[in-house]
Amino acid sequence: MSLRARLALLYTSIVGGILLIFGMAVYVSVSASLTSQLDAKLVWAATNVLEPMRAGALGVIKLPTLDLFADIYIQVWDREGQLEASSLNIQGYFQPLDESGLKVQRPTYRDVAIGSIRLRVLTVPIVTKTSQRMVGTLQVGTRLDTVQTTQRVLVWVLVIGAAISMLIAGVAGLISTGQALAPLEAVTRTALQITRADDLSRRIPYHGPPEDEVGQLISAFNQTLGRLETLFNSQRRFLADVGHELRTPLTVIKGNVDLMRRMQSVDDESMDSIESEVDRLTRLVGDLLLLAQAESGKLTLVKATVEMDSLVFEVLNQMRVLAKDRLKLTLGEVDQVLVCGDKDRLKQVLVNLVGNAIKYTPAGGEVVVGVGKEGNRARLTVSDNGPGIPAEDLPHIFERFYRAEKSRTRSKEGKGFGLGLSIAYWIIRNHGGQIDVSSSAKAGTTFCVWLPLVDGGCQPETTELA
Ligand code: ADP
């Protein structure tokens, strides 16, 4: 059953339920009110019979006139159960109006049926005024026709009224839910069109108030589409980039192999070139694997306490070979800093950042590496006075395969895959840290890595971030 039909059914049931309770309340109160009017009439009649009767009664029933009203039946019974008198309208009737009532000690009301006639009967014991002795029984009764007719009419009015109200509620429910759900049908249609056309650039139009429930749903759906589109495009770009990066070294290798085959000799230059391209491919595959693990949160971290200052010394000593005499690689602020992390991965971050600084800073420049503390965080900085990163590239440098335009056209030795910073980003993120960059053409570039300081000791552990 559709949501629309379900909601309409729900409205109808609620209206039906309310009307049922309301109808029962009206029925009961109207019946009670009519019955109490009848009872009052019976009491009045009984009093009119009993008063003169008691005035002279001393054990013997003195009968007053019993014909008060045409619609009130009166019987007087003695103690032995003999009918003493009855009103004119039931002269030929010798049975008690209420058989079981004759035995009662107190005034009692009962509804009885005599043939097809239903009566309300009040039975009152007749007692002497002085000795309170019971000398007989008075029964007054009247027809219940009016009450029954009113009850029957009331039931019909309530049933028909309820049926009409439920019908109106059902139709109104169908129309109003139809209107409210119409935008959702548009969502479904658009979603299906997107699936069929495989076009994630489409968005669902909505002209209603953006803050209502449907507006929020559509906005959330459009945001999801936007995110999917970005992911999908980056996936495409990623595949194209990987293909491109793999093709270049493979072309070089193939060229060299062809050359050696033609020359019928193995020359050292070609072998060196092949080896360097194979190294490059190996590095690329290693980087891609690491990035895939990091991005899927499956990067295994072997955590232990890491002395960041020692790590900085270690990396600087190794990187000096790369800097050669081309530029100055110096140590800035050094503080004793302990963090909890995977030493090899953190070293990889440092190597990537220092390697980039050396790679992109022209000869004669300077690269400064420092480590310190700020609050409860370790701060690792790698600054250079190179050409800086253009402002338009800055927001993208942590993306996979992203290289600033200048770096793309750089000579072969400076060529990277554009993966180093995204790997660094993910490693630091998986350590609960943060990495940011500031850069200007004048001052050069500074990368800053923030990591939580060891807090109450670091238990050596291997965590697979799932
Ligand atoms: P690559 O392998 O190209 O170095 P990275 O991910 O390490 O890839 O860096 C991405 C881009 O960021 C680089 O191509 C370069 O344009 C820019 N970049 C990174 N570090 C520096 C730096 N210290 N100075 C200038 N540009 C930098």
Side-chain angles (χ1 to χ4, degrees), residues 137-344:
T137 306
L138 168 70
Q139 289 197 327
V140 282
T142 189
R143 280 168 176 259
L144 275 168
D145 297 9
T146 47
V147 176
Q148 281 177 322
T149 313
T150 313
Q151 281 174 334
R152 226 173 287 131
V153 170
L154 197 61
V155 167
W156 274 110
V157 168
L158 289 173
V159 167
I160 292 170
I164 292 172
S165 308
M166 283 168 74
L167 194 73
I168 292 171
V171 173
L174 268 180
I175 293 171
S176 64
T177 49
Q179 277 171 354
L181 295 177
L184 291 185
E185 281 164 19
V187 174
T188 314
R189 266 199 312 277
T190 316
L192 286 174
Q193 280 167 7
I194 289 169
T195 315
R196 270 187 228 119
D198 205 4
D199 178 8
L200 286 171
S201 65
R202 294 183 71 146
R203 298 289 176 270
I204 297 163
Y206 181 58
H207 308 294
E211 70 282 354
D212 71 3
E213 287 82 352
V214 178
Q216 284 177 11
L217 173 79
I218 290 177
S219 147
F221 194 76
N222 281 340
Q223 279 174 29
T224 308
L225 280 177
R227 179 99 185 98
L228 279 177
E229 188 186 8
T230 315
L231 282 175
F232 201 63
N233 288 343
S234 88
Q235 185 98 340
R236 269 191 198 147
R237 218 181 46 229
F238 176 71
L239 279 176
D241 286 339
V242 172
H244 180 75
E245 292 299 340
L246 286 174
R247 207 173 49 193
T248 319
L250 289 175
T251 315
V252 175
I253 293 170
K254 179 142 178 45
N256 281 299
V257 170
D258 283 351
L259 185 71
M260 286 193 289
R261 184 171 288 138
R262 260 189 276 126
M263 304 298 281
Q264 298 277 317
S265 73
V266 177
D267 75 295
D268 283 347
E269 204 184 324
S270 298
M271 286 304 280
D272 284 350
S273 172
I274 290 174
E275 192 176 11
S276 120
E277 292 305 328
V278 169
D279 285 348
R280 206 173 132 70
L281 278 178
T282 313
R283 253 192 353 262
L284 173 63
V285 172
D287 280 359
L288 284 175
L289 220 56
L290 185 71
L291 201 58
Q293 284 175 336
E295 282 191 8
S296 63
K298 292 216 161 65
L299 184 68
T300 309
L301 296 176
V302 186
K303 280 194 178 168
T305 306
V306 182
E307 291 177 12
M308 286 307 283
D309 40 323
S310 312
L311 194 67
V312 168
F313 283 127
E314 198 180 316
V315 171
L316 275 196
N317 283 334
Q318 284 176 12
M319 301 302 274
R320 283 221 165 84
V321 186
L322 263 184
K324 297 181 208 143
D325 299 329
R326 210 170 61 82
L327 39 80
K328 241 166 69 187
L329 184 56
T330 53
L331 197 60
E333 163 204 28
V334 181
D335 203 349
Q336 210 195 11
V337 173
L338 297 181
V339 300
C340 190
D342 185 323
K343 190 177 170 197
D344 290 341

Side-chain angles (χ1 to χ4, degrees), residues 356 359-360 384 389 397 402-404 407 416-418 420-421 445 447:
N356 275 351
K359 196 159 64 176
Y360 297 113
D384 63 57
I389 303 169
I397 56 167
Y402 192 85
R403 275 173 279 158
S407 333
F417 299 120
L421 285 181
T445 308
F447 281 93

Side-chain angles (χ1 to χ4, degrees), residues 49-58 60 62 126-130:
V49 176
L50 280 176
E51 276 307 315
M53 204 186 274
R54 278 181 186 160
L58 262 177
V60 183
K62 191 178 132 203
I126 306 169
V127 290
T128 58
K129 218 168 195 179
T130 44

